[in-house]
Amino acid sequence: MYDVLLFSEDFSSFPLGPFPFDSEHSAMGEYHYYPETGYKGQWHDPIANYNYKGPSWVVTNPLMDGTHMMELSRIQEPVEKGTLPTLVSGDTRWRDCQLTVHLRPLSKDLFSGVLVRYQTSLRHYGVFFTKEGLEVQKVDLTERTILKTAAIDWSTQEFQNLVVTTTGTVITVCLNGREVMSVEDDRYSHGAIALCGCMPTQYATLEVKATQAEQDRLTEQKANEQKRIQEKRTLYPQLKADRKIDLKNYGAGRQIRFGHLTGTDELFFVMAQHQRRVYKDRYPVISCLTAVSLATGTILWQLGEPRQDDDVAQLTTDLPFQVYDIDNDGVDEVIASWDFKLFILDGSTGEVKKQMDTPLNEEPVDDLCGVEFGHHAFEHLNIDAIRIVNVTGKSRPTDLLIKDRYARLWIYDDRFNLVWKFTHNNTGHFPYAYDFNGDGKDEIFSCYNMIDCEGNLQWELPIAIDHTDEIVIGPIDPDHGELIAIVSGWEGFMLLKPDGTILKRTINGHGQRISVGNYLPDNKGLEILTTTYWGSQGILYMHNCKGEELWSRELRCNGAVIAPVNWDGSGQDLVLLSASTEHGGLMDGEGDTVVPFPDDGHPELCCEVLDITGDERDEIVVWDLKSLWVYTQDRAKPESGKTYLPIKYPHYNASNYRGEFCFPRWIES
């Protein structure tokens, strides 16, 4: 019956050694396309455990006879909000299939085996060896359910021949030629396969077979999907390389700001390099600032000493600098911090217009969150991030919010007078400023805390651990006024009222990034897209304006920035995933990549969205250490009586931890 081969693996093509992994288990993949180097064959590891520095998977030759096997090389308790080592392959379209795997669990503690109907690392069925025998589990986000068990005697000294057949809603399990159990469940109708477990296990061979009818169905489904996507692609402008800039020796990772530094229409970018200090990425210092014309690539000015080593591209935090016309003279300044000082620099020359010492670290470290080693590293504050806010009620934002990594906020006016300071549990990465009550003064939402314009705590969410990674505030649901949408790691995705009432909360992995846009224009309100990172990585969740999940899928890569893009001016926003030719491009609200990146040698590490040509449509900026490219549309903007000009996140408050949005707005052309 199952006589059509869909997949086979004996690991003979792999060299001995670790399956490619991020040895630092770093945050680079939060917003860089930073794939692990090395041969992966037809497999992908969607899991990272930052507390476990070694590889999860190792190619071994346990029999010393030249036979290669994939070995699970980690011990992991199956705890709630935790994820197990997983190595995935195959096609999520598979339905009725038969998986045959030759494997040898090396311990009877906990469990290990294979996954079927794998949709994501948080949604699948598992067939596992246990101390008592075999069991079938269902995983649905943080809920792990044992569907059925079978008492069977088995030995860690012998390889086991496991056959798992999925037919309709029935999962049948055979061991060493004997059927041992069958279970019915209708949660997952299709999915790929994966290796998975809690304890060391050797996998020798795998194959997946299907019926001819299933093969015919797959062929038809793939053809229909390709046809649908190709038809969609004809509806959108495609990417056209508009300009290329040699970054010489001043290139960096996603540490870039844009602005008008000379008071003209000419757009510039400022790129920052860094040096690390003390501990990981917690205390970096700007070591070089370079202001460059985005039109010509000409350096306007440079401060510090540039360098070309790879480390300048591998910072996983923000650097403290912004580009903004803080004195309202029509020319953008550069606001930056290094050497324990806060500077306002002339945008056209880089010369210091104003400076102040950063605050003293006076508080006992026991009273603060996130101070490593129990000591302040420096007498003065090493600024973690800068945001332009308006708590003093001026006609435009001119106040400066600065923060340390996780504990304290300070706000100064444009004359460097301290307005207020705030300390209470965790700050999160990048506090959000928004005038909720319409008095012309910003409230500050920081981590789980709502702070009024005078620095007083108004309310806090009843969550004691983790922190907000990204925040979006605005008119998401027409049934409400402004709402707050956040992702807070393993504390979940949340949709809040301005008074702190939680309208929706879903724990669907470690929520890392969030964006809001008109991704599905036929739907009511706006859509909310989130991604996951630490643990179960690379999962996209599309939600409606109520926070209800519309669909999810797992990218077999990291680094999706999920930035909304006004690409064609139609009012439908697209999503920038990454600059990867294989995994990136612009995605529509149904999850289809409608604008892929061409295989033209462009840099893939970083990407950003902004209107450069001035036609209200967005361009895509991509770069790495060596070069920066700008992509625009390959067709002219259609003529119409109205122009789509959505309200977007201001570039003068750039951050790698900003949630992004496109709030619809039309203007008369």
Side-chain angles (χ1 to χ4, degrees):
M1 181 178 180
Y2 294 93
D3 50 8
V4 178
L5 184 65
L6 299 180
F7 174 93
S8 67
E9 179 67 84
D10 63 4
F11 305 105
S12 60
S13 63
F14 284 82
L16 295 180
F19 185 87
F21 74 110
D22 178 0
S23 61
E24 296 298 320
H25 294 304
S26 72
M28 282 291 291
E30 290 179 356
Y31 41 77
H32 298 88
Y33 180 68
Y34 192 69
E36 303 86 355
T37 58
Y39 178 71
K40 299 179 184 179
Q42 50 194 340
W43 297 89
H44 170 66
D45 184 354
I47 306 297
N49 184 337
Y50 56 91
N51 291 318
Y52 188 95
K53 291 298 186 181
S56 297
W57 301 91
V58 179
V59 180
T60 63
N61 174 23
L63 305 180
M64 302 285 284
D65 63 353
T67 302
H68 288 189
M69 298 183 190
M70 185 66 72
E71 185 169 315
L72 169 57
S73 184
R74 201 169 101 200
I75 301 171
Q76 177 68 58
E77 292 278 351
V79 296
E80 185 187 9
K81 299 181 184 179
T83 47
L84 301 180
T86 302
L87 202 62
V88 59
S89 194
D91 194 329
T92 55
R93 303 178 187 91
W94 290 346
R95 290 184 180 174
D96 297 345
C97 302
Q98 187 174 82
L99 167 65
T100 301
V101 56
H102 202 51
L103 77 166
R104 179 190 176 195
L106 301 177
S107 171
K108 290 192 174 185
D109 285 351
L110 305 177
F111 56 82
S112 60
V114 294
L115 309 181
V116 295
R117 296 246 168 118
Y118 176 102
Q119 298 180 6
T120 74
S121 57
L122 290 175
R123 282 184 170 141
H124 53 257
Y125 297 112
V127 180
F128 297 114
F129 286 84
T130 69
K131 186 178 296 185
E132 292 77 21
L134 285 169
E135 68 183 30
V136 178
Q137 299 181 5
K138 176 174 62 179
V139 173
D140 193 351
L141 301 182
T142 59
E143 185 176 355
R144 182 178 295 272
T145 305
I146 298 175
L147 298 179
K148 198 167 186 177
T149 63
I152 297 172
D153 187 34
W154 62 277
S155 171
T156 61
Q157 298 299 307
E158 299 172 346
F159 279 85
Q160 311 294 325
N161 195 62
L162 181 69
V163 180
V164 183
T165 307
T166 52
T167 308
T169 59
V170 178
I171 302 170
T172 303
V173 180
C174 297
L175 182 64
N176 300 325
R178 182 171 68 91
E179 181 176 326
V180 295
M181 66 175 144
S182 181
V183 60
E184 187 166 3
D185 190 87
D186 63 359
R187 179 66 179 93
Y188 306 121
S189 62
H190 57 91
I193 62 165
L195 319 179
C196 181
C198 304
M199 301 295 293
T201 303
Q202 295 168 344
Y203 298 86
T205 61
L206 298 94
E207 67 175 24
V208 177
K209 290 184 175 181
T211 63
Q212 186 60 55
E214 172 68 0
Q215 171 74 315
D216 293 343
R217 185 197 65 79
L218 285 168
T219 301
E220 183 180 7
Q221 183 179 355
K222 291 177 184 178
N224 290 338
E225 289 178 0
Q226 291 173 359
K227 181 181 178 182
R228 183 189 75 244
I229 292 172
Q230 288 302 322
E231 288 176 349
K232 281 187 175 183
R233 289 178 178 178
T234 65
L235 304 176
Y236 298 93
Q238 296 300 300
L239 292 161
K240 179 181 72 173
D242 181 71
R243 65 197 74 173
K244 304 174 185 178
I245 294 174
D246 181 359
L247 297 182
K248 303 178 175 63
N249 59 356
Y250 60 81
R254 209 160 180 266
Q255 307 290 343
I256 194 169
R257 308 288 188 263
F258 299 90
H260 298 276
L261 300 180
T262 59
T264 68
D265 291 336
E266 185 175 6
L267 191 61
F268 291 80
F269 67 88
V270 180
M271 188 163 281
Q273 294 184 340
H274 73 279
Q275 287 188 303
R276 302 173 198 257
R277 301 185 295 185
V278 184
Y279 179 69
K280 295 184 177 179
D281 292 350
R282 299 297 175 86
Y283 302 97
V285 61
I286 293 174
S287 60
C288 183
L289 282 176
T290 309
V292 186
S293 168
L294 194 54
T296 66
T298 303
I299 295 177
L300 181 65
W301 51 263
Q302 186 174 78
L303 302 177
E305 182 178 348
R307 66 188 203 276
Q308 299 183 70
D309 59 276
D310 290 342
D311 186 64
V312 298
Q314 295 174 3
L315 188 69
T316 64
T317 61
D318 279 337
L319 286 173
F321 73 117
Q322 301 289 2
V323 174
Y324 179 64
D325 182 11
I326 195 165
D327 59 9
N328 202 24
D329 66 351
V331 183
D332 283 340
E333 283 76 42
V334 177
I335 304 158
S337 177
W338 65 88
D339 193 32
F340 312 106
K341 294 179 175 59
L342 180 62
F343 299 96
I344 297 178
L345 308 177
D346 186 293
S348 61
T349 65
E351 295 178 355
V352 176
K353 298 177 69 171
K354 190 178 296 185
Q355 70 179 65
M356 61 166 274
D357 293 335
T358 62
L360 289 167
N361 285 313
E362 298 175 310
E363 297 85 351
V365 295
D366 291 344
D367 298 340
L368 300 177
C369 174
V371 180
E372 283 80 21
F373 310 113
H375 298 278
H376 291 296
F378 313 106
E379 185 177 29
H380 282 261
L381 173 69
N382 187 83
I383 295 178
D384 179 75
I386 301 171
R387 185 180 187 112
I388 316 299
V389 303
N390 187 9
V391 302
T392 55
K394 303 237 176 78
S395 60
R396 59 193 295 276
T398 59
D399 302 321
L400 298 173
L401 182 155
I402 63 174
K403 63 184 289 290
D404 62 5
R405 184 64 177 164
Y406 288 123
R408 297 165 292 173
L409 308 177
W410 294 258
I411 292 184
Y412 292 85
D413 65 17
D414 57 340
R415 298 184 178 181
F416 289 158
N417 297 307
L418 179 64
V419 180
W420 49 260
K421 176 183 175 181
F422 181 85
T423 305
H424 181 65
N425 54 52
N426 201 307
T427 63
H429 286 300
F430 198 58
Y432 203 107
Y434 197 89
D435 181 13
F436 283 102
N437 59 16
D439 66 352
K441 301 177 181 179
D442 286 336
E443 285 74 47
I444 306 296
F445 184 62
S446 176
C447 194
Y448 305 127
N449 308 307
M450 183 64 78
I451 311 163
D452 69 17
C453 63
E454 296 180 347
N456 303 306
L457 179 66
Q458 291 185 301
W459 54 261
E460 61 182 300
L461 293 175
I463 302 172
I465 58 176
D466 220 320
H467 55 256
T468 50
D469 284 285
E470 293 191 351
I471 306 164
V472 173
I473 300 176
I476 298 170
D477 182 353
D479 293 336
H480 296 275
E482 295 92 347
L483 293 178
I484 305 169
I486 64 175
V487 282
S488 297
W490 277 104
E491 292 307 299
F493 156 65
M494 284 171 268
L495 198 57
L496 319 171
K497 288 183 176 181
D499 63 1
T501 301
I502 300 175
L503 298 173
K504 185 72 173 180
R505 182 182 183 188
T506 306
I507 298 175
N508 54 15
H510 181 110
Q512 186 63 48
R513 310 221 65 176
I514 189 168
S515 70
V516 174
N518 198 20
Y519 298 135
L520 294 165
D522 292 338
N523 286 11
K524 179 180 178 180
L526 303 178
E527 287 70 50
I528 309 163
L529 183 64
T530 66
T531 65
T532 62
Y533 194 63
W534 303 104
S536 292
Q537 305 187 145
I539 306 175
L540 301 178
Y541 295 96
M542 184 68 77
H543 310 83
N544 65 14
C545 65
K546 304 293 185 183
E548 298 164 339
E549 183 182 324
L550 299 175
W551 55 261
S552 67
R553 73 180 178 98
E554 184 177 270
L555 302 172
R556 295 191 182 179
C557 69
N558 294 314
V561 299
I562 62 168
V565 184
N566 172 21
W567 185 242
D568 63 356
S570 68
Q572 176 191 2
D573 301 317
L574 300 181
V575 178
L576 173 62
L577 296 174
S578 72
S580 166
T581 301
E582 181 180 2
H583 300 289
L586 305 185
M587 180 187 74
D588 70 6
E590 295 177 326
D592 293 326
T593 302
V594 294
V595 183
F597 274 91
D599 188 9
D600 56 3
H602 67 271
E604 295 186 336
L605 180 67
C606 306
C607 56
E608 186 62 276
V609 178
L610 76 161
D611 176 20
I612 294 172
T613 64
D615 69 353
E616 288 82 35
R617 298 181 299 176
D618 288 324
E619 276 66 50
I620 310 297
V621 183
V622 302
W623 72 97
D624 57 17
L625 277 182
K626 297 180 180 179
S627 65
L628 179 147
W629 293 28
V630 176
Y631 283 98
T632 191
Q633 296 81 8
D634 68 352
R635 65 185 77 163
K637 177 185 173 185
E639 295 292 332
S640 69
K642 297 190 300 181
T643 296
Y644 183 60
L645 188 62
I647 300 168
K648 305 192 71 174
Y649 204 105
H651 282 283
Y652 62 77
N653 274 327
S655 170
N656 289 318
Y657 302 107
R658 69 185 188 270
E660 299 203 57
F661 54 81
C662 270
F663 296 138
R665 179 179 62 179
W666 292 88
I667 61 173
E668 296 296 326
S669 300

